[in-house]
Amino acid sequence: MTEAATQPELINRLTTLVGSTYILTNPTKMQPFSKGFRFGFGSALAVVRPGSLLEIWQVLQVCVDANVAIIMQAANTGLTGGSTPDGDDYDRPIVIINTMRIDQIQLINDARQIIGLPGSTLFGLEEVLAPYGREPHSVIGSSCIGASIVGGVCNNSGGALVQRGPAYTELSLYAQIHDDGELELVNNLDIDLGVTPEEILTNLEQQRYQAADINQSEKRASDNEYHERVREIDADTPSRFNNDGRRLHESSGCAGKLAVFAVRIDTYPIAAKQQVFYVGTNDAQVLATMRRDILSTFKTLPVSGEYLHRDCYEVSKKYGKDTFLVIDKLGSKYIPKLFGLKRTVDRFADRLPFLPKKMSDRVMQYLSYCWPNHLPKRMEAYSAQYSHHWILEMDNDGVDEARAYLQQFFETAEGSYFECTPEESEKAILHRFVAGGAIGRYHIMNGQMLGAMMTVDVALRRNDAVWFEELPPEVDALIADKFYYGHLFCHVMHQNYVLKKGVDAKQLKQQILASFDARGAEYPAEHNVGHEYAAKADLKSFYKALDPTNTFNPGIGKTSKLKHWSEDKQ
């Protein structure tokens, strides 16, 4: 049969499996799934939304038989377009399998571990664990926009929480396609769930297993060495980055080259005592000294240390106000609904040529001007006084350690600090969270006067003495605005550049990345390669070993989009 003849048959078979309500073929309706949260877009034959693990397996079987490419997708909140198609130059049709209907979270081992099914989210996990006095691996940042647990593991995401490191597990349940095209279900959860795929998937989803069926595995369910690694401040390599071979294992770091049904990960006790300290200085070296002192001498590691440059503070204040207010007033649970509404408004507006692009952002920005200043007075005073802002969060015995250290340190060091009230703590962390989206909004509102926007997600060496970027004058002259924020303890920085009109963004980015190569930095650090970065040799080899037919998420990391990685063999 010709390809044109087989596609309607494939759609019919998929519709029979999941029902007509849960399959999309209209390009407009598929756009929320085929267009990345901030980056990437391409065409797809269909979007399928299975309602059970068994349905995912059946959909996979049909897609493999039909020789189509498959993109597994959860919340689609990635920042580098790694869960959507990229362009239209694939050699096969693409089917996107969105798993968000399957959001169950199962507690095991007295809530010290959980099993997250493919649509489960970090926010949902926070809610499930709270009555048990425990919390998930990540509790800031992406959890507020509905990022999935499985997606975090597949991308080695996170790491902002200094005591825990990037998302990682060696315990997962996944489907893999072998060289001969055979689809296999691999149960490495270390839980006895049966023999056949149908048994395993049904027993897991319906929780038909007992405590005795759970193996107290020696395999890692988190990066339980990271707390030692981040303390090695004289090491000549970064503490965490997506190409780190130490943490590429099956589903962990697979970037969608496997179809992951479930992950088993550790949880953490909620601290009995917490305190946020807000630090300001005009000397970047002051923060460098503090970082080394705290990591090398404190008995208790910090919870986090979020950096924000004053320019980033100000752009977040103006262009992130609406997101800040929605979370502050309605709660982070509303954010996925807000983004869904934004996409609906933008799809509608895009059909009307007299309306501007990104209509929802423009409306929300103008509405935000009606609201008074939302930031605490002490933070505002620091913005007027200091260029560098650091939100230092400590818990338990670390609170008193930090208090004593800061009092003594700032007797002689340039800068100052204050202890945040609970309200100031929440607002400081939330203000840092909205920075990424605020920079994008700034570019939308002012784009007619500016060139392209470019972002770099980089992990500096742990012993790097110069963490704050100083660009050569000839490069700096090409940039209209620079916005810096990041995670200072692990030397992971998010560097955003808004270029002047006419500047070649691709050429300039390669120049900046080459400078990072020269100084031993790694990139990307935590957002994974997606379709924005080229996968380095070791990462590409990992992808090929997982998916020799190149059926899952072809083209990821600017690799081959062809069946069996054909162009690599030419």
Side-chain angles (χ1 to χ4, degrees):
M1 288 188 293
T2 66
E3 181 179 289
T6 61
Q7 288 183 11
E9 180 183 344
L10 171 60
I11 298 299
N12 288 336
R13 292 182 67 186
L14 294 173
T15 303
T16 300
L17 287 174
V18 302
S20 58
T21 303
Y22 299 109
I23 184 167
L24 304 173
T25 55
N26 181 295
T28 301
K29 293 183 178 179
M30 286 195 291
Q31 191 176 100
F33 306 92
S34 60
K35 186 175 184 179
F37 174 64
R38 291 185 192 165
F39 183 90
F41 175 73
S43 59
L45 175 65
V47 174
V48 187
R49 301 175 59 219
S52 69
L53 296 181
L54 185 56
E55 281 188 8
I56 294 178
W57 175 253
Q58 293 167 336
V59 167
L60 287 172
Q61 289 179 309
V62 168
C63 289
V64 170
D65 289 344
N67 190 33
V68 297
I70 301 166
I71 294 179
M72 301 298 299
Q73 180 191 87
N76 192 18
T77 60
L79 302 184
T80 56
S83 56
T84 64
D86 179 54
D88 300 310
D89 54 340
Y90 296 84
D91 61 343
R92 297 149 288 166
I94 294 173
V95 172
I96 298 172
I97 302 176
N98 183 278
T99 62
M100 290 304 288
R101 292 177 62 205
I102 311 165
D103 60 357
Q104 187 184 133
I105 296 169
Q106 302 175 10
L107 303 180
I108 61 173
N109 297 333
D110 299 320
R112 288 180 287 107
Q113 290 185 328
I114 64 99
I115 298 171
L117 300 196
S120 58
T121 65
L122 288 169
F123 178 78
L125 184 54
E126 286 183 48
E127 286 194 322
V128 168
L129 289 175
Y132 297 87
R134 300 188 73 83
E135 60 187 12
H137 164 270
S138 296
V139 293
I140 66 171
S142 55
S143 60
C144 293
I145 55 175
S148 72
I149 297 169
V150 168
V153 169
C154 291
N155 289 295
N156 288 142
S157 298
L161 299 188
V162 182
Q163 301 164 358
R164 303 174 191 178
Y168 179 76
T169 187
E170 297 167 2
L171 298 158
S172 60
L173 173 66
Y174 60 88
Q176 185 172 28
I177 300 173
H178 295 291
D179 253 328
D180 58 3
E182 179 187 355
L183 180 71
E184 180 190 12
L185 185 71
V186 180
N187 179 14
N188 281 343
L189 286 172
D190 276 7
I191 301 175
D192 185 2
L193 295 167
V195 178
T196 68
E198 292 75 15
E199 285 178 330
I200 293 169
L201 296 170
T202 302
N203 288 338
L204 175 62
E205 190 159 8
Q206 297 182 7
Q207 298 188 59
R208 294 179 188 164
Y209 58 88
Q210 307 297 320
D213 297 321
I214 303 172
N215 179 14
Q216 301 310 307
S217 179
E218 294 297 318
K219 297 177 183 177
R220 293 186 176 92
S222 61
D223 188 350
N224 59 357
E225 298 173 338
Y226 183 76
H227 64 283
E228 298 172 353
R229 184 173 177 83
V230 76
R231 284 190 182 273
E232 295 170 354
I233 56 175
D234 292 317
D236 200 33
T237 56
S239 59
R240 60 181 178 93
F241 53 99
N242 289 128
N243 191 40
D244 186 355
R246 297 169 52 258
R247 291 298 174 254
L248 297 175
H249 181 87
E250 297 175 352
S251 64
S252 293
C254 74
K257 300 303 287 183
L258 301 171
V260 182
F261 290 83
V263 293
R264 176 176 166 184
I265 57 176
D266 291 332
T267 69
Y268 302 85
I270 295 174
K273 183 179 180 181
Q274 292 179 304
Q275 179 62 54
V276 170
F277 301 88
Y278 199 96
V279 177
T281 181
N282 289 307
D283 184 353
Q285 189 57 41
V286 166
L287 299 188
T289 301
M290 291 178 65
R291 169 187 172 268
R292 290 182 63 86
D293 288 348
I294 292 170
L295 290 177
S296 62
T297 66
F298 277 32
K299 293 181 180 179
T300 304
L301 273 176
V303 175
S304 65
E306 295 297 287
Y307 170 76
L308 203 66
H309 186 268
R310 177 164 52 199
D311 293 342
C312 198
Y313 178 104
E314 293 298 330
V315 83
S316 298
K317 175 184 171 182
K318 182 174 182 178
Y319 294 98
K321 184 193 290 188
D322 56 308
T323 305
F324 182 105
L325 292 172
V326 167
I327 299 174
D328 187 47
K329 304 301 180 184
L330 300 177
S332 54
K333 191 173 185 179
Y334 190 78
I335 287 296
K337 297 178 183 177
L338 175 66
F339 283 115
L341 177 62
K342 281 174 83 286
R343 282 172 165 164
T344 300
V345 169
D346 287 339
R347 287 203 310 275
F348 174 78
D350 287 347
R351 299 178 197 169
L352 304 175
F354 58 87
L355 291 177
K357 298 293 184 183
K358 302 287 185 180
M359 184 69 182
S360 63
D361 282 280
R362 297 177 188 278
V363 170
M364 292 173 68
Q365 183 61 34
Y366 287 125
L367 288 174
S368 74
Y369 294 148
C370 300
W371 199 270
N373 189 356
H374 55 293
L375 296 177
K377 291 181 179 179
R378 290 201 287 182
M379 285 173 57
E380 287 288 81
Y382 268 45
S383 179
Q385 188 175 359
Y386 298 117
S387 298
H388 303 288
H389 297 230
W390 199 21
I391 306 164
L392 174 61
E393 186 175 2
M394 304 296 300
D395 67 7
N396 298 329
D397 293 342
V399 173
D400 291 332
E401 273 189 291
R403 182 176 290 125
Y405 170 81
L406 291 169
Q407 287 174 349
Q408 182 177 12
F409 182 79
F410 281 109
E411 288 178 0
T412 56
E414 190 277 328
S416 188
Y417 77 98
F418 63 86
E419 293 192 28
C420 294
T421 65
E423 181 182 5
E424 287 172 331
S425 298
E426 291 181 6
K427 291 189 173 184
I429 293 170
L430 182 51
H431 184 58
R432 156 61 186 88
F433 161 69
V434 303
I439 296 166
R441 173 76 60 77
Y442 163 78
H443 189 254
I444 290 169
M445 299 301 294
N446 299 279
Q448 70 277 8
M449 300 177 294
L450 300 165
M453 187 174 75
M454 188 175 74
T455 63
V456 175
D457 167 32
V458 63
L460 306 176
R461 292 176 291 116
R462 283 168 281 178
N463 66 350
D464 211 325
V466 180
W467 65 271
F468 187 73
E469 184 176 63
E470 295 182 5
L471 292 169
E474 64 274 15
V475 173
D476 199 49
L478 303 175
I479 299 172
D481 294 288
K482 302 185 293 290
F483 302 106
Y484 296 135
Y485 61 95
H487 319 293
L488 196 56
F489 281 117
C490 52
H491 263 186
V492 167
M493 301 302 297
H494 303 301
Q495 305 189 161
N496 301 260
Y497 313 90
V498 179
L499 310 185
K500 294 180 179 178
K501 269 188 175 296
V503 175
D504 186 329
K506 289 185 178 180
Q507 181 179 346
L508 182 58
K509 186 164 188 173
Q510 289 308 309
Q511 188 175 349
I512 290 174
L513 293 181
S515 72
F516 287 132
D517 290 335
R519 62 190 289 191
E522 291 279 355
Y523 52 86
E526 63 183 14
H527 294 159
N528 217 343
V529 289
H531 291 293
E532 189 171 4
Y533 294 91
K536 295 183 179 180
D538 290 347
L539 190 59
K540 186 175 179 179
S541 296
F542 177 63
Y543 292 159
K544 281 187 167 184
L546 293 179
D547 183 22
T549 66
N550 202 22
T551 296
F552 288 119
N553 214 3
I556 196 73
K558 300 186 182 296
T559 59
S560 171
K561 294 181 178 179
L562 306 182
K563 183 87 170 179
H564 292 290
W565 307 84
S566 296
E567 65 190 21
D568 289 344
K569 300 174 183 178
Q570 294 175 358

